[in-house]
Amino acid sequence: MTDIESYYRHSREKLFGYLLRLSANTDLAADLMQETFLRYVEHYGNDDIKPPLLYRIARNMAIDSIRSSRRLTQLVDDTIDDRATPDQELSNRAEFQAMLQAMQELKADEREILALVSGDDHLTYLDIGKIMGISEGNVKVKIHRARVKLRDLTQRQSHAR
Amino acid sequence: MHDELVSQFIDDELDLDEKVLFVETIQSDPVFTKDTLGLLQQEKILVMPIPVSRPMLKLSSTKPRISFKFFLKSFSAGLAAAVVTLFLLWPDVTIQPVSHRFVIFAPEVNHAEIAGSFSNWKPLSMKPAGQNGYWELSVALQPGEYRYSYLLDGNEKRPDPTSLLQEEDDFGSVNSIIRIGI
């Protein structure tokens, strides 16, 4: 099995998670995830996997998707399929869904930087800076500001309920 | 004061000195400790893995395109000879320019330009693309390699965030590189 196939089998959910956090739309995130892998193989072959490059392709495709349609940032009620899910997991998913909803209130670059850093793919601040075209120091500041803003938004949401 | 240390801690981005400072601040500042715990709880929710329901792709059956690098490694000498021969034997060949659209997302600016080796580094004004903060400009380019950068509100140079190739110029700025038709 090639590097990219192995990565795809075991880690595709990481890229999916990034796109889901970015878009709050499971169908769109899944479509973009599959298309990203296909484009990567088309352009760079299937022998070697470089996650920052994969994320950059995914990011560009997500931006294209914003331009060509308004699917992005339109949160759907059934973002996450919760059929046949144990109670605890259901509760966790409700929290995750609320978090996704709060993320849509962030500015585009704030949402994106959180989606990248929380993508569980070991992207460093340096990697994220290269993907977004900003300095590592700027990444550090932006990530923290976005996290604090997200916390404030979720707290406001929970008080409003 | 040291607020970003919390996120650096969450993301494993602290160096040794910052780790010392982080622990000292945790010990001395209860508000900082509370913030850290709150953001850690938030992160636990945010990184929750979500299963994806899509059939597995057969990536091994996807044909990679032959890359420029592969061409260079394998056929550079032969390719160069073939090109020279083609031009010598067929002098009437004319190469058509290719229209390339440059796009940047910069909702915070009032004016965006692009300057590059294709314009002798003279800034060219870009037009807003819709109402969403995107700016665009199509430029007719002959096949070749070009360096360029965006210029925002007349003073901020910004490399193309979507460009895979970038390099620092002699003045400390970062330029993007694009290859057209090669």
Side-chain angles (χ1 to χ4, degrees), chain A residues 5 8-9 12-13 16 21 27 30-31 34 38 41-45 53 56 60 63 67 92-93 95-96 99 103 117-118 124-125 131-132 140 144 147 151, chain B residues 3-4 6-8 10-11 13 35 39 42-43 45-48 50-52 54-57 59-60 62 64-65 101 103 129 132 134 136 161-164:
Chain A
E5 282 175 304
Y8 175 74
R9 279 178 186 277
R12 66 190 184 134
E13 283 168 0
F16 171 71
R21 288 170 187 94
D27 282 341
D31 289 348
Q34 301 280 61
L38 288 172
V41 172
E42 275 183 10
H43 288 276
Y44 302 101
L53 188 54
R56 181 171 278 189
N60 291 348
I63 289 173
R67 299 199 68 212
N92 291 343
R93 290 189 178 194
E95 284 184 307
F96 181 74
M99 191 76 76
M103 281 184 78
V117 77
S118 303
T124 65
Y125 285 2
I131 292 168
M132 295 185 70
K140 183 171 73 176
H144 188 67
R147 275 205 176 108
R151 179 197 63 194
Chain B
D3 289 348
E4 286 95 9
V6 180
S7 283
Q8 288 176 265
I10 293 172
D11 303 325
E13 290 277 348
D35 281 351
L39 291 178
Q42 172 174 290
E43 195 65 15
I45 299 168
L46 201 56
V47 300
M48 197 176 78
I50 301 295
V52 51
R54 279 289 191 279
M56 294 293 277
L57 295 171
L59 292 173
S60 55
T62 303
R65 292 178 193 167
R101 191 169 62 140
V103 179
N132 300 319
Y134 288 90
E136 67 178 358
T162 66
S163 164
L164 298 175

Side-chain angles (χ1 to χ4, degrees), chain A residues 30-91:
Chain A
D31 289 348
L32 288 174
M33 183 273 295
Q34 301 280 61
E35 186 63 24
T36 298
F37 277 99
L38 288 172
R39 281 208 193 177
Y40 187 99
V41 172
E42 275 183 10
H43 288 276
Y44 302 101
N46 50 22
D47 297 331
D48 189 19
I49 176 68
K50 294 187 174 71
L53 188 54
L54 194 73
Y55 277 78
R56 181 171 278 189
I57 293 170
R59 173 182 192 261
N60 291 348
M61 289 180 45
I63 289 173
D64 283 348
S65 181
I66 295 171
R67 299 199 68 212
S68 60
S69 74
R70 300 303 299 159
R71 286 173 77 187
L72 221 65
T73 74
Q74 290 176 356
L75 191 76
V76 288
D77 290 338
D78 55 349
T79 297
I80 300 160
D81 184 356
D82 53 12
R83 284 169 295 181
T85 306
D87 286 350
Q88 182 54 47
E89 201 172 336
L90 206 61
S91 162

Side-chain angles (χ1 to χ4, degrees), chain A residues 9-23:
Chain A
R9 279 178 186 277
H10 299 114
S11 305
R12 66 190 184 134
E13 283 168 0
K14 293 176 181 174
L15 185 67
F16 171 71
Y18 160 66
L19 290 162
L20 179 60
R21 288 170 187 94
L22 203 59
S23 66

Side-chain angles (χ1 to χ4, degrees), chain B:
Chain B
M1 190 166 46
H2 308 302
D3 289 348
E4 286 95 9
L5 288 176
V6 180
S7 283
Q8 288 176 265
F9 171 71
I10 293 172
D11 303 325
D12 293 332
E13 290 277 348
L14 291 170
D15 63 28
L16 213 47
D17 286 337
E18 289 166 334
K19 285 177 181 172
V20 171
L21 185 58
F22 177 78
V23 173
E24 285 174 350
T25 314
I26 285 283
Q27 285 181 327
S28 63
D29 186 345
V31 176
F32 182 87
T33 307
K34 189 181 170 198
D35 281 351
T36 302
L37 286 171
L39 291 178
L40 279 168
Q41 291 296 341
Q42 172 174 290
E43 195 65 15
K44 279 176 68 178
I45 299 168
L46 201 56
V47 300
M48 197 176 78
I50 301 295
V52 51
S53 54
R54 279 289 191 279
M56 294 293 277
L57 295 171
K58 286 187 178 174
L59 292 173
S60 55
S61 63
T62 303
K63 297 277 185 201
R65 292 178 193 167
I66 296 173
S67 71
F68 178 71
K69 202 182 278 184
F70 178 77
F71 251 124
L72 269 186
K73 279 184 184 168
S74 307
F75 302 115
S76 55
L79 185 66
V83 169
V84 169
T85 308
L86 181 67
F87 274 87
L88 286 175
L89 296 179
W90 197 355
D92 289 338
V93 168
T94 54
I95 299 171
Q96 296 297 319
V98 177
S99 178
H100 182 81
R101 191 169 62 140
F102 293 92
V103 179
I104 185 164
F105 179 64
E108 72 281 14
V109 305
N110 296 314
H111 185 52
E113 295 166 298
I114 184 171
S117 50
F118 46 79
S119 67
N120 288 325
W121 294 100
K122 181 185 165 192
L124 306 173
S125 285
M126 302 181 78
K127 294 175 186 169
Q131 305 293 317
N132 300 319
Y134 288 90
W135 299 81
E136 67 178 358
L137 181 70
S138 293
V139 181
L141 298 172
Q142 294 285 354
E145 183 175 285
Y146 300 94
R147 280 153 179 76
Y148 66 100
S149 181
Y150 294 110
L151 190 62
L152 304 178
D153 280 340
N155 53 29
E156 184 197 345
K157 277 190 77 176
R158 189 181 295 176
D160 188 343
T162 66
S163 164
L164 298 175
L165 294 170
Q166 299 189 341
E167 70 173 15
E168 199 168 314
D169 66 16
D170 297 339
F171 305 100
S173 297
V174 177
N175 292 323
S176 303
I177 301 172
I178 187 170
R179 291 178 177 141
I180 301 289
I182 58 174

Side-chain angles (χ1 to χ4, degrees), chain A residues 126-149:
Chain A
L126 188 63
D127 290 334
I128 293 170
K130 285 179 183 170
I131 292 168
M132 295 185 70
I134 58 178
S135 71
E136 193 179 351
N138 206 352
V139 169
K140 183 171 73 176
V141 173
K142 277 177 177 284
I143 283 175
H144 188 67
R145 280 186 191 158
R147 275 205 176 108
V148 170
K149 194 168 171 183

